[in-house]
Amino acid sequence: RLERMSRVDRNIIRLGAYELMHVNDVPRRVTLNEAVELAKRFGNEESPAFVNGVLDRIADDVGKA
Protein backbone atom coordinates (compact mmCIF):
# COMPACT_ATOMS: atom_id res chain seq x y z
CA ARG A 1 0.00 0.00 0.00
CA LEU A 2 1.19 3.48 -0.80
CA GLU A 3 0.66 4.72 2.74
CA ARG A 4 3.15 2.17 4.09
CA MET A 5 5.85 3.04 1.56
CA SER A 6 8.44 5.60 2.63
CA ARG A 7 8.11 9.04 1.07
CA VAL A 8 11.58 8.82 -0.41
CA ASP A 9 10.93 5.45 -2.08
CA ARG A 10 7.53 6.56 -3.34
CA ASN A 11 8.91 9.69 -4.97
CA ILE A 12 11.91 7.92 -6.52
CA ILE A 13 9.49 5.40 -8.00
CA ARG A 14 7.29 8.22 -9.31
CA LEU A 15 10.24 9.81 -11.08
CA GLY A 16 11.41 6.52 -12.51
CA ALA A 17 7.93 5.48 -13.62
CA TYR A 18 7.41 8.78 -15.41
CA GLU A 19 10.72 8.40 -17.17
CA LEU A 20 9.96 4.81 -18.19
CA MET A 21 6.51 5.68 -19.54
CA HIS A 22 7.04 9.08 -21.14
CA VAL A 23 10.72 9.65 -21.95
CA ASN A 24 11.57 7.42 -24.88
CA ASP A 25 15.17 8.54 -25.45
CA VAL A 26 16.41 7.28 -22.04
CA PRO A 27 17.22 3.55 -21.94
CA ARG A 28 15.59 1.34 -19.32
CA ARG A 29 18.93 0.45 -17.72
CA VAL A 30 19.83 4.12 -17.22
CA THR A 31 16.51 4.88 -15.55
CA LEU A 32 16.80 1.91 -13.20
CA ASN A 33 20.43 2.63 -12.31
CA GLU A 34 19.73 6.28 -11.54
CA ALA A 35 16.75 5.38 -9.37
CA VAL A 36 18.76 2.78 -7.45
CA GLU A 37 21.55 5.29 -6.86
CA LEU A 38 19.03 7.79 -5.48
CA ALA A 39 17.59 5.09 -3.24
CA LYS A 40 21.05 4.19 -1.94
CA ARG A 41 21.79 7.81 -1.13
CA PHE A 42 18.48 8.95 0.33
CA GLY A 43 16.56 5.80 1.31
CA ASN A 44 17.04 3.13 3.92
CA GLU A 45 18.96 -0.13 3.49
CA GLU A 46 16.05 -1.95 1.80
CA SER A 47 15.24 0.92 -0.58
CA PRO A 48 17.57 0.09 -3.50
CA ALA A 49 16.26 -3.46 -3.95
CA PHE A 50 12.65 -2.36 -3.48
CA VAL A 51 12.89 0.52 -5.95
CA ASN A 52 14.67 -1.67 -8.50
CA GLY A 53 12.04 -4.38 -8.24
CA VAL A 54 9.08 -2.04 -8.61
CA LEU A 55 10.58 -0.11 -11.52
CA ASP A 56 11.65 -3.31 -13.26
CA ARG A 57 8.06 -4.54 -13.10
CA ILE A 58 6.77 -1.21 -14.44
CA ALA A 59 9.29 -1.32 -17.29
CA ASP A 60 8.13 -4.83 -18.20
CA ASP A 61 4.49 -3.74 -18.10
CA VAL A 62 5.04 -0.75 -20.41
CA GLY A 63 7.24 -2.79 -22.74
CA LYS A 64 10.39 -0.71 -22.37
CA ALA A 65 13.40 -2.72 -23.56
Side-chain angles (χ1 to χ4, degrees):
R1 296 178 53 182
L2 286 175
E3 299 83 28
R4 294 184 57 192
M5 194 184 309
S6 80
R7 290 180 190 172
V8 170
D9 292 352
R10 185 171 54 236
N11 285 305
I12 292 171
I13 291 169
R14 281 182 181 157
L15 288 169
Y18 175 83
E19 201 167 287
L20 288 168
M21 292 188 283
H22 300 291
V23 183
N24 295 324
D25 60 337
V26 178
R28 171 187 183 152
R29 181 176 293 192
V30 172
T31 299
L32 294 178
N33 286 342
E34 288 176 352
V36 168
E37 288 302 316
L38 286 171
K40 284 179 184 176
R41 183 163 183 190
F42 297 108
N44 60 35
E45 61 186 34
E46 295 94 21
S47 293
F50 177 70
V51 167
N52 185 53
V54 172
L55 288 178
D56 191 49
R57 177 55 102 44
I58 291 170
D60 286 343
D61 289 348
V62 298
K64 184 121 181 198

